[in-house]
Amino acid sequence: MKKNIRPEIPRKAIYRLSLYLRCLLRLKNNSIRTVSSEALAKAAGVKSTQLRKDLTYFGQFGTRGLGYDVDQLAHMISDLLGTNSLQPVVLIGVGNLGLALLSYKGFAAEGFEIVGAFDIDPKRRRDKTIATPLYDMSQLESVIQARMVKMAILTVPAAAAQEVANRLVAVGITGILNFSPIVLTVPEDVIVNSVNLAIELENLSYFVQH
Ligand code: ATP
C-alpha cells in the first residue's frame, strides 16, 4: 500500500501557512533572521498554540529557545505550497474582470505566472493592452499541455463557466479559482476556490450595519 509521508493538511491550515509566509517574507525584508513562535503568531493574528500545531506538519524543527529561522521556515512553507518556483496559470474569459486580473502585477511576486489568457472572442477591442498572450479557445488544450499548467482562473460569464470548467478538468487542470457566480461541479480530486465579489460585499454590508 502506498503510504503518505505527510499527513493530510486541513484546508484552513493551508490558508494559515500562507499568512505565516507573508509575515516571514516581511521579516526577511527587514533583515530579521529568527522569530519566536509568539511573535510570528501575533503578526499572523493567530494563537501561538495554533501556530505551533500548524508547524508540526513539517516534523521536528526549530531550535528550542531560539525560535524559528526565518529564511528556513519561509522556504519550507513555500516548498509545501509549491510557490518556490513560478507556477504557470491560465486565465479564461478576458472581459472587464479578466483584464483587470491580467494587469495585476502582484501574481509574479507571489510565485504565479499567467502563461496564457483565453477568450471565445480574442479579437474584440479591449480597453487595455496586456502583455500575456491572448489565445482563441480552440488553443486551450494545447497550451495547457505544452506548459504543463495545473491551475486556472475562471472569469467567464456564469452561463459558460461549467462548460469551460469541464474542458479544463479534462485536460488536467486540478485547481480552479472561480470568479463566476455559480457553483461548479467537478471531480473530487479537483479543487475549486470560488470568489464571488458581490457576495463578499453583501457579507460586509451586513456587518457594517450591525
Ligand atoms: P466581466 O464579467 O469579467 O466584467 P464582461 O462584462 O466584460 O466581463 P462577460 O460577459 O462577463 O463580459 O464575459 C467575460 C469574457 O468571457 C468576455 O470577454 C467573453 O468574450 C468571454 N467568454 C464568454 N463566453 C466564453 C466561453 N464560452 N469561453 C471563453 N470565453 C468566453
Side-chain angles (χ1 to χ4, degrees), residues 87-90 144 147-152 171-176:
Q87 273 241 37
V89 180
V90 290
I144 288 176
R147 301 298 301 261
M148 294 190 284
V149 183
K150 294 277 169 228
M151 297 186 10
V171 70
I173 293 289
T174 49
I176 300 176

Side-chain angles (χ1 to χ4, degrees), residues 19-31:
L19 287 181
Y20 305 149
L21 183 58
R22 295 287 161 309
C23 297
L24 289 163
L25 295 178
R26 255 200 328 264
L27 293 171
K28 207 172 139 182
N29 277 338
N30 292 326
S31 308

